[in-house]
Structure formats: structure tokens, C-alpha cells
Amino acid sequence: MTLTIDGQEVKVPLGTTILDAARKIGAHIPTLCHHPDLCVAGVCRVCSVEVEGMRTLQAACAFPVSAPIKVKTHTEKVRLARRHIVDLLLSDHYGECYACRRNNNCELQSLAKEHGVDFFRFGHPEKPAHAIDTSSYSVVRDLNKCVLCRRCVRTCIDLQEVGTIEVVGRSDHSHIKPFLDKPLGGVVCINCGQCINRCPTGALHAQDHTDEVWAAIDDPKKHVVIQTAPSPRAAIGESFGLPAGTPLTFELNTALRRAGFDRVFDTNFTADLTILEEGTELLLRLKKALLLREPAAFPQFTSCSPGWVKYLEHFYPEYIPNLSTAKSPQQMFGAVLKTYYAEKHGIDPKDIVTVALMPCSAKKFECNRPEMADSGFKDVDYGLTTRELAKMIRESGINLPDMPKSDFDNPFGTATGSGVIFGATGGVMEAALRTVIELVCGIKVEDLFEHANIKPVRGFEGVRYVELPITAVGPVPDVLKHLFPHWNFLKGATLKVAVAHGTANAKKVMEDIKKGGQFSKCHFIEFMGCPGGCIGGGGQPIPTSPEIRAARAAAIYAEDAAYEIRKSHENPDVALIYKEFLTDGPCGHQSHELLHTHYTPRGKYID
Amino acid sequence: MNTIPTFASMDPEAGLKKALGLSRPDIIAEISASGLKGRGGAGFPTAVKWNFAASAKADRKYIICNADEGEPGTFKDRVILQDHADLVFEGMTIAAKAVGAKEGILFLRGEYTYLRPHLEAVLAKRREKKLLGKDVLGANLEFDIRIFMGAGAYICGEETALIECLEGFRGEPRNRPPFPVNTGFLDRPSVVNNVETLAWAACILQQGADWFKSKGTEKSTGIKIFSISGDCKCPGVYEFPMGITVAELLSKVGGENARAVQIGGASGQCIPASEFSRSIAFEDIPTGGSVIVFGPHRDMLDVLHNFLEFFVDESCGQCTPCRLGNRKLLEGVEMLKAGTCSMAYLRELCALGESMQLSSKCGLGQSSPCAFLSVVKNFRDELMGRTTSLTHA
Ligand SMILES: Cc1cc2nc3c(=O)[nH]c(=O)nc-3n(C[C@H](O)[C@H](O)[C@H](O)COP(=O)(O)O)c2cc1C
Ligand code: SF4
């Protein structure tokens, strides 16, 4: 199909939108309600263009080309209409840019600039019309800045299939509201923050705990330690103008020390620990089912994504027994820091402030779960998003990309590639498989998968399913001897695993399990609440798109490939903690006390 | 007294019987020859619409009768359904035969709930007479009709919002393309026609295309049913041939001394007395049938105020120009009434109105500024006197 845009011919497949066709030839059509992850809405009308022969302007994002049309993207009519639309939006948008978190990263602001808005033609609100909803641990809603593009609604309903928020009311009384106009903290919301990542303005943002963290840093009595997760490290460069997929792991270490953190640790350490705990838990379930012939809850579900965990608690509470009881790496680290580390270094745990750099808004909810305090102290005091930390670094006058590189602090300084890949969908599964294959089969992963890259579980396909026949078993390694006499019960078995990312895909898998389908036969399933996994988390730099997430994932896999140690069970620091502290081994009594948790069947009831 | 004598003179089975003897293309050809255009307001050629749906390939197709009748000043569909429901259902059955649909849905305005028992009784009788059902009159046609109650939103009269509503969603217009004739109810090809359009289709099958074409104008054939209200001696429902001038119409209803007439409802145009020689037809002043007469004592700003309040209430709120634009126009009228609107701002509002007409997503926002723009144009002198002299840029 050939169409003409501003006099230029462009060939596109039938059904391509005018917007996509224009992008092909570099013609810029402004958008606001359009988002590459979401279905078309065509509501803001900012992308209006003239199509020859049509009486009205057409929304370029919503117009599929099916004839050789002639399009003009910036005629007088078009420019005036867009200008009016931006003017109207501003007339209903309370807030000053300099006092907004999204200053310099706001699509409304850019539109105003692009369209030469020099005064408020149709006025500007002088007072806020809505109270700010801060009831959620994770997501703050400020409807005064909402432009009703509905990207959050489409994210919540179509992309995530959670359906927390909807448009309510007609005309200029229409607003985005949670069910029954309840505060967000009181309804079925999984805190994934995907709505934040897709909000074009400052109407949605994450709870901000930077002031509390600064206060701790400024308090000389406090020993403030931060753990950094791999996916924010792969994305934080975007907040400093670098292209997506530029990892700044070691530059960040320097910046964090300069900003005032006392110690900088790598969450990878507890990612490796998680693999041992969760992997052992899986093997124990298999032993129960295959050796002892007792009922065991299969498939086992991963539990490191707090968005996913809360999703399951709300929508499939009857499957709580399937969730691994292992805490997430963030929480394990907190628990270890306030016990093992405190003891080892003679610091009173009450003076330790644990901060976690996470890609995630749901981590803020997770660290405030009342059960996450097994040491007698809150495991993790503050979960910071990538965006919050970028802000702190900027406040410190540091230009992150300019920082010299430095290592993580000991005693958890050794990391493995397996910990790194937790950040991308499929990564937890790959890490678990690397360990389980080696511990059980007595072979090297490299014998089965080139460079230990378990490619079948990688990628962005919404749901992936893999079978691994266990043809031979090896000797039981020392750390597990107290739990397993031998692996014979696994010989000849086929390990069935699956990976799903984004709760819409999780829902597909769960519904299949409920029906007794293919996935109900799985042994282990990795679920991530966010599309793409942690690299697409709700705390990551804005904007997001499939391309941006792919670039971040590529950075993570590149980092994995560069590690000397690629497998969790080979991490010497992990071996050490089992030797010195968790002396009864993985899934032993001590680790159960500290590193495992329980869940709450929430159902769909609301406060 | 029956206000629609032409419908009263019809035999509400003859058209269907004739259609059952014709092939699908022949039915559409007859409608095409009659020149029938949609009576819901937009005036889209009915035969073209049916033909699109007929040629679309799908497992199911639907005939939907739009009885939402929400346009201010329109009440003719109510009278048609009250007195001539048989003709409407017959028109739907003919459309079903023409496009190959098995299911018909009457989308009935919430305020017309009281009509439902009557309509259900007419449907039951038609089923009894085998005019509906598994095998209509033994002619190998399966078709039945159910009634779906609207909930009173004006926007649900817009065909794609109506379909969203039928599917159980918020009544909001969809993007088009795709059009309902290809992707309508449950994503199946669907014909959405106004009550009156369907009744005329039944008449045309019965009396022939030539009979229909013999009335009206060349481009706007046939008779139109009007709902006439406002400052006239005999408001009510009337039938007049298409092309009737405003003056003629006014003389028939005792509204000769009108200063202006709103034609086409709130989303239509406001015609001043100086233009009463214009004719009501798709080629001049189009209408879905609403005529509101304004007597000499009316303040046009009050009229506008009323219309704009209506739109500010009834906009679905999804698209920016309509959601916020109507509010600005309403505020503008309030400023004019209070004497605080400058000429410059009035000009700005007119430009905004034009942008709304061009860039709104659906017919509501595209036509809601019409009244504002036509009042400003036609009653310019009067409005000028009410702007402030403070002409800031
Ligand atoms: C805001 C709005 C409201 C409408 N309301 C009605 C209505 O109440 N009844 C109706 O028949 N058509 C209404 N329409 C027109 C319909 O969208 C559609 O064009 C019509 O039902 C088609 O039927 P016709 O071709 O027989 O006229 C409305 C359109 C708009 C934009
Ligand atoms: S023009 Fe108005 S009614 Fe139509 S889609 Fe836009 S907001 Fe809704």
C-alpha cells in the first residue's frame, strides 16, 4: 500500500496506521494517548492530521491505511487544532512544572513547547480540584495533573489485566478512579507501578522515600547500607541521558559511596541465596511427590516478584501453597544484614538502615509487609526505585556516567552471572536450572547448553514452556546430603518448567492450571509481575517501550556472560554463609526462620 | 388523530412478503433506487450501508435499530414506535434478508421503557404470525428481534457508542474505521439504522422506489417525519416532503413570527428569519427531524446556554476537544451574558469551535459547536453589543 505523507510517498503493509507510516519517513506527528505497549485509544486527538477528501481531521494513531490516501501532517488547520487541544489540556491541568517530579520528562510539557504555547489561552486552574491519594504504599495519584489519556487504564486493564482503575463519570466530570472511588491503598492493586511508567505527566508517581534515606545518611549514628539490584543498574543511565542498555553497575558503587552510603552491596548475593533456597524447596517437593509418594503442591511458583505475589494473593489465593516460601532477594538481604552481617561486624542491628535499589514500586509494599521482620527488625527499611536513586545522585551533584568504577563491598562482594539475570524475564528460571542441573545431574550446564546460556527460557514471548529430561543423576552434593539420600527418584523424570511475565500472561497460565491444562503439569514456573520482568519494573526510568526493555535485557545478559562465576551454587560467599551462619543448610531451620515467609489470602475483597 | 398518515396507510406485512420473493441484491437495488438516506441525522445512503454489510464475510451479522432518540427536540421515533412498530420491525426483517442477519436488536432509549410492553406484544404477535422466527413465512429466513434498554445517555445514540453499550461497556464512540458494517456488535458486521429509516425501507418495498422518489427533492428523496416544538401554535409530529422550506414548515405549525429556528436539534444549525426561504434537505439544511421554533422574545444566548449545558453534560468525555471544548464554549456564553467576554476572546472561541468540529472523535463533538458558531454568525450584531470593550489581545 502506497500513501503520500506531506508529498512523500511511503509504502506500508495494509492496515498500518498513519502514525507508523509517518514515523517510517521521519515525519513527526505528536502523540499523547498513544503508547507502544498499549492498544489504540484515539482519545487525545493531538495526532490529528488532514486526509485529503475527508471532512474532519483524523487521528493518525487510530487510522489504518487501506487506500492510497494523501495525508498532510501540519497544515494550518492541523496546527491550530493541535494548539487548541494542548491549550485545552492546560486549562484543566493544575500544577507548575518546576514543582513537578516529571519536570523535563513530561509529554504535556513537551507538547506545550512544541506547539508554541506562550500563554494560557483558555485559562489555567489556580487551585487543585482533587486531593492527592497517597494511601498506597507504592503508587501516588494526583488527578490534578491527569490529562485523561487513559494510558494507566489501558495498562491496568489490558496490559496487566488487573483492572484496578477505570474511567468514571462523563464529560469533564470523567476521572480515573479505583473501584468505588476508594483510595488506591484500599482496593485490589498489585503495586506493579506499570501505570506510572506509562503516565505522560506527573499524575502518577511512586511514593518517594528519598528524604527518609537522606535523614538516615545524615544521622552519624546510623549505618546505612544499600543493596543494588541488577536491573536498575542496567537502566539508571537513561536518567542521565545515556541510551537504554548502558549498565553503570560499578560507576554506581562509587556514586553511592560519595552520596554517603556506608556500604554498597550487590543484591546478586541474595539472588544466589534465593536460588539455593528455592531450588532446594523444589527438590524437596519433588522428593515428597516422587520418593515419599506424598501430596506436594505443584507447580512451585517463584515468589521474588512482589507484584506477582500480591496478584496471586488477590486473584488465586487458593494457590498460595504453590508459592515458594523463599523471600525475595531484597528481603533476604535485609534479613541477612540485620543478623549475620550485624553480628560479624559488631554493629547493633537497630542502627543499621537497609536500603534497596530496586526497579520496582511493589518492593515498597513488600518491605512494609508486617511478616518481613524475622530478625526482630524490619528486613528492609526503604525500597528505592531507580528514579528515586537517580534523583538522590543528582542532588549530590554527581554525574553518574562520569564516575570511576569501583567494586562492591565485602563480605558479599562476589557475585555470579545467575544473580544478574534475575533482572530479565526467564532469568530466575535460568539461574535455577543452572544450579539444579549441576547439583542433581552431576554434569556441567555447559554440556547441555552452550556457554551455560539456557536460551529456551529467554526472550520476550509472553509465556514460555520448556522440558528437560533428567537422563542421569549424580551424587548428592554435601550441602544437601542431610535432606536427600540420593537422586534416584529423579532419574528418568522430565522436569517441566515455564516462564510468564506481566500479570496478563500470568493469568493465562493460572487459568490453564485451573483447567488442568499443560501448565498444571509443570514442576516450576517463574512469574514476574511486570512485562519484561524487573527490567520493565514500575520503578524504572520513564519512558518504557519494547525496544527499551530489550536493550536493558541485552545489557543484563552481556553482564552475565562477563562474570567468571555464572552459577549460584558456586558463589563462595553463599557457601560461606551456609558454613558460618545458616549452618543447617538450605531450607534448614535457620534459613526458614530468616529467609522464608508466608502469604496472605487476600481475595478480591476490599477494605 | 394519526400524525403520520403515510405510515398509517401501509399494510405492515406487504413489504416483507415482497422482499421474501426477491434476491438480496434486488432488495438492495430497490432501496438504492429509492434514494433513501438515513433518517437519524447523518443522511448516509441506506442501500450503501446494507450493501457493505451484505458483502462483508462473517459467521453472524446483526440488524440494530437505533431508538435512542436523544437529540433535544426529537420525539418522532417515539410516535413511530407507538403507532407503527410493525413497520419498523418489518424494515428490520427486510434488512436482515438483504444482508443475511439472523438477529435483530432494538436499542430502546431508557426513557421509553413504558413502550416496551407494547413493543414486546407487537413482536410476540409477529412471531405468532411467523413474520419472525426460525422460518419466516416459510421462506427460509431465520430472524428474530430482541429489545435492549439504553440507560439514558445521549451519546449512546451514536452508533459505535451504542454498540459498546450493547456489549456491556461504557457508552463511548469507537475509532472509525473500522465501521460497524464490517466490525460492529461483537466485531461482526452490523447495520445500525434509525427507527424511521427502517420504517421507510418497509414502505419502499411495499410501494416501490418510484413512489418514494416521487416525493422530496432529487438529492433528498421521500418524506421526512419531523418533531416540531417551541414557540409555535401547533407543536407535534408531522410528515413533510423533503425539501420543504423553513417558512412553509413554520406556516403549517403556526410559527410564522419566529425569529429563529433550530434545525437538527442541539447539534444542528440555528437559522435566522432572514434565511427561512432555505429548504430542509440533505443538500441544504440537514436534520434528523428536530425543529425548535424560537419566538421574538427569545434571547439567543439563553438558547445557546441551554444547548451547551446539554453538551457539557452529555459528552462522553473521552476526547479532549469535546470534553473540554464544550465547557469553554459554555463559559464563553456565560461571559457574554455577564458582559465580560471580549471580542478577541469570542473570536478565539469561534476558532476553538472550528477545531472541535475538525478534531473531535465523534459526531457529538464535531457538531456541538454548530449552534454556537451559527448564533455568532447569524446574530452577530446582537452579540457584538454584549462583548466588553476591553479588547485585550
Ligand atoms: C451524538 C450522536 C447521537 C446520535 N443519536 C442518534 C439517535 O438517537 N438516533 C439515531 O437514529 N441516530 C443517532 N445518531 C446517528 C447514529 O450514529 C447513526 O448515524 C444512525 O443511527 C444511523 O442510522 P441512519 O443511517 O438510519 O440514520 C447519533 C449520532 C451522534 C453522533
Ligand atoms: S466527541 Fe465528545 S462524545 Fe464524541 S468521543 Fe469525543 S468526547 Fe466523546
Side-chain angles (χ1 to χ4, degrees), chain A residues 271-500:
Chain A
D272 287 336
L273 199 56
T274 299
I275 288 301
L276 285 187
E277 292 293 331
E278 200 164 339
T280 306
E281 185 184 355
L282 175 67
L283 291 168
L284 283 171
R285 288 187 200 219
L286 287 166
K287 172 172 133 184
K288 222 170 162 191
L290 302 177
L291 185 65
L292 309 177
R293 306 264 162 211
E294 286 169 15
F298 278 111
Q300 176 175 306
F301 301 152
T302 58
S303 59
C304 38
S305 160
W308 148 249
V309 168
K310 191 153 185 271
Y311 179 79
L312 181 122
E313 289 176 332
H314 281 304
F315 293 93
Y316 301 97
E318 67 276 26
Y319 285 91
I320 282 180
N322 297 63
L323 266 183
S324 161
T325 57
K327 285 183 186 172
S328 67
Q330 159 176 290
Q331 295 304 126
M332 282 196 187
F333 219 131
V336 165
L337 285 170
K338 293 201 177 170
T339 52
Y340 177 58
Y341 172 80
E343 226 174 279
K344 210 167 160 150
H345 294 263
I347 308 170
D348 187 341
K350 80 170 182 347
D351 291 331
I352 300 182
V353 176
T354 48
V355 181
L357 166 61
M358 291 289 147
C360 182
S361 52
K363 288 279 172 198
K364 290 177 182 286
F365 175 84
E366 184 186 34
C367 74
N368 283 303
R369 280 176 177 257
E371 65 272 23
M372 294 290 185
D374 293 314
S375 63
F377 301 93
K378 235 176 126 191
D379 290 347
V380 171
D381 293 295
Y382 303 107
L384 293 183
T385 62
T386 317
R387 299 186 294 265
E388 281 170 282
L389 197 76
K391 189 181 84 171
M392 288 183 73
I393 292 175
R394 266 196 303 270
E395 251 183 300
S396 313
I398 293 168
N399 186 32
L400 182 58
D402 295 342
M403 285 294 105
K405 297 184 182 199
S406 63
D407 277 330
F408 286 100
D409 284 310
N410 275 319
F412 314 112
T414 323
T416 74
S418 274
V420 174
I421 57 175
F422 263 58
T425 164
V428 178
M429 184 55 69
E430 180 163 353
L433 290 178
R434 286 180 188 169
T435 288
V436 168
I437 288 172
E438 298 211 343
L439 294 188
V440 170
C441 306
I443 54 168
K444 290 267 145 210
V445 186
E446 287 81 349
D447 300 340
L448 296 180
F449 299 96
E450 205 177 334
H451 303 302
N453 294 336
I454 309 183
K455 292 250 168 83
V457 296
R458 295 190 184 180
F460 287 98
E461 191 66 41
V463 178
R464 278 114 54 209
Y465 172 85
V466 177
E467 291 189 359
L468 272 178
I470 301 176
T471 45
V473 294
V476 178
D478 289 346
V479 291
L480 296 179
K481 276 220 169 95
H482 62 297
L483 297 172
F484 306 95
H486 55 76
W487 294 132
N488 292 345
F489 62 94
L490 288 172
K491 201 170 164 186
T494 297
L495 195 61
K496 295 176 184 147
V497 301
V499 172

Side-chain angles (χ1 to χ4, degrees), chain B residues 155 173 315-319 322-323 360-362 364-366:
Chain B
I155 191 58
S315 159
C316 81
Q318 70 171 315
C319 77
C322 173
R323 177 179 71 245
S360 289
K361 181 164 175 172
C362 87
L364 192 153
Q366 287 163 10

